[in-house]
Amino acid sequence: MTASSSDIEKAAGVLRAGGLVALPTETVYGLGANAEDPVAVARIFQAKGRPPSHPLIVHIGGAEQLDDWVEDVPATARLLAAHFWPGPLTLVLRRGRRVPLEATGGLETVAVRVPDHPVAGALLAAFGGGVTAPSANRFGSVSPTTADDVRTELGDAVDFVLDGGPCEVGVESTIVDVTGDTPSVLRPGGVTREALEAVLGGPVAVPSTSRVRVPGQHPSHYAPRARVVLVEPGKVLDEVESARELGHQVGVFLPPSLAGTPVKAHATVAVPASPAAYARGLYGFLRELDQRGCDLIIASLPAEEGLGLAIANRLRRAAGPRSAQHA
Ligand code: TXA
Ligand code: MG
């Protein structure tokens, strides 16, 4: 069920009153608050169990509002905004005075994006201000791509959930830092590196570590409960067999090259051959294997080009070492 116009009005009222609204975007669902209300922003961190030093993204209604929220917009940022907004691109720029430090985790930069979803757009228009929103999951776990996922993740910690159906893109936005001399990708996402390079007319760096602390870069982010093990596609069947012999409830991401092959796993997901379909389904697949009681998920990485770069990034982090914090 997609949100009605009275749902949108109600959600805008919740934001004005300092409450939290879960909103659909084209990437994943966000947990939104009035970006200019430090108390409401603090509630986001509490609801997610996220350390307050981790910066949030401010969602705005259109590129023409950019100067209301940031200082010194460089030409590169305007170019990228003109090409990709509304859409799954987040720009890191110098913080404007309207943005409280609570929303940026104390940083003098701010991440901004214009989401490409009719419900998010309607909410931003009805509310009139900026909505700061991280993904609407508990800190470290899998991002929600349906309204039901949000309810499972956050329960009563969210005041109102706007349902906008399943998310089209399925992985988070691409974050590009445009505060330096050359733009650099802090997190691969829904806008591909190739698309950025086509617009910028040159190579774009995707550093593996950034000088800014980015919680999405924490090794064990985007993790299901089950342990995720990454193997070469040609080794998937052998790995499933040995994990099963060890007594695991094995879930498997069956690569397209093995489509139709019978596997003796506890639960199997057929990985779509199209990267767009894979990205759209990725978090749902992880959730499904968790729900079906798997304690181990065997997957392999797709080619790291196009959306494959973001998918591989999320799978690596899902497979990363876990701290007690994420247990
Ligand atoms: O697609 C998305 O980006 C979704 C939807 C809801 O818009 N949002 C999302 O938010 O993924 P979150 O909080 O889960 O991830 C935001 C990322 C974090 O890794 C954070 O560190 C980074 O953006 N970030 C925010 N502000 C930043 C800044 N000033 N400098 C560097 N990174 C920043
Ligand atoms: Mg997140």
Side-chain angles (χ1 to χ4, degrees):
M1 255 304 281
T2 289
S4 65
S5 52
S6 74
D7 291 334
I8 301 284
E9 281 309 319
K10 185 169 171 198
V14 170
L15 291 176
R16 280 185 210 105
L20 301 185
V21 171
L23 66 148
T25 81
E26 79 281 31
T27 57
V28 300
Y29 275 72
L31 177 63
N34 176 0
E36 292 171 272
D37 179 344
V39 177
V41 172
R43 290 189 60 210
I44 290 182
F45 292 95
Q46 215 172 22
K48 274 184 70 90
R50 173 158 158 167
S53 58
H54 290 195
L56 306 175
I57 296 173
V58 176
H59 297 72
I60 60 175
E64 70 286 352
Q65 297 169 17
L66 194 50
D67 295 274
D68 299 343
W69 298 92
V70 307
E71 302 284 341
D72 304 334
V73 181
T76 311
R78 296 213 194 273
L79 179 69
L80 291 174
H83 270 87
F84 296 106
W85 283 355
L89 177 72
T90 295
L91 296 174
V92 173
L93 289 151
R94 283 191 52 201
R95 183 178 69 93
R97 270 189 298 260
R98 249 175 117 168
V99 184
L101 285 168
E102 283 80 356
T104 68
L107 295 174
E108 286 303 333
T109 54
V110 61
V112 185
R113 87 175 189 99
V114 179
D116 186 15
H117 191 290
V119 173
L123 177 66
L124 288 164
F127 175 58
V131 172
T132 193
S135 49
N137 50 281
R138 301 276 310 162
F139 182 58
S141 101
V142 177
S143 299
T145 50
T146 67
D148 277 347
D149 294 345
V150 174
R151 294 185 191 103
T152 308
E153 283 285 326
L154 298 173
D156 291 344
V158 51
D159 298 308
F160 195 66
V161 179
L162 281 173
D163 194 339
C167 300
E168 267 298 306
V169 176
V171 292
E172 296 83 350
S173 60
T174 302
I175 303 179
V176 180
D177 183 347
V178 277
T179 59
D181 294 336
T182 50
S184 82
V185 173
L186 301 183
R187 176 179 73 184
V191 167
T192 64
R193 174 194 199 152
E194 293 84 348
L196 291 170
E197 290 179 338
V199 168
L200 295 172
V204 174
V206 184
S208 53
T209 53
S210 92
R211 72 195 151 73
V212 198
R213 179 182 44 236
V214 179
Q217 304 291 347
H218 191 287
S220 71
H221 252 76
Y222 315 107
R225 277 196 314 274
R227 191 156 65 85
V228 178
V229 174
L230 300 174
V231 302
E232 293 299 320
K235 301 228 167 81
V236 166
L237 297 178
D238 288 348
E239 288 292 329
V240 170
E241 193 51 32
S242 28
R244 209 171 59 90
E245 280 166 13
L246 287 170
H248 285 291
Q249 300 289 309
V250 187
V252 56
F253 272 35
L254 200 63
S257 57
L258 297 176
T261 313
V263 204
K264 277 199 232 141
H266 179 69
T268 301
V269 161
V271 167
S274 127
Y278 191 2
R280 184 154 53 239
L282 177 65
Y283 291 142
F285 298 155
L286 292 172
R287 279 177 193 282
E288 179 189 332
L289 295 184
D290 260 351
Q291 274 154 18
R292 292 174 67 181
C294 299
D295 63 3
L296 188 75
I297 296 173
I298 292 172
S300 38
L301 296 175
E304 295 188 51
E305 55 196 28
L307 281 173
L309 187 64
I311 297 168
N313 172 275
R314 304 308 189 271
L315 283 173
R316 279 209 180 85
R317 293 184 194 293
R322 312 229 172 147
S323 65
Q325 202 173 25
H326 294 94

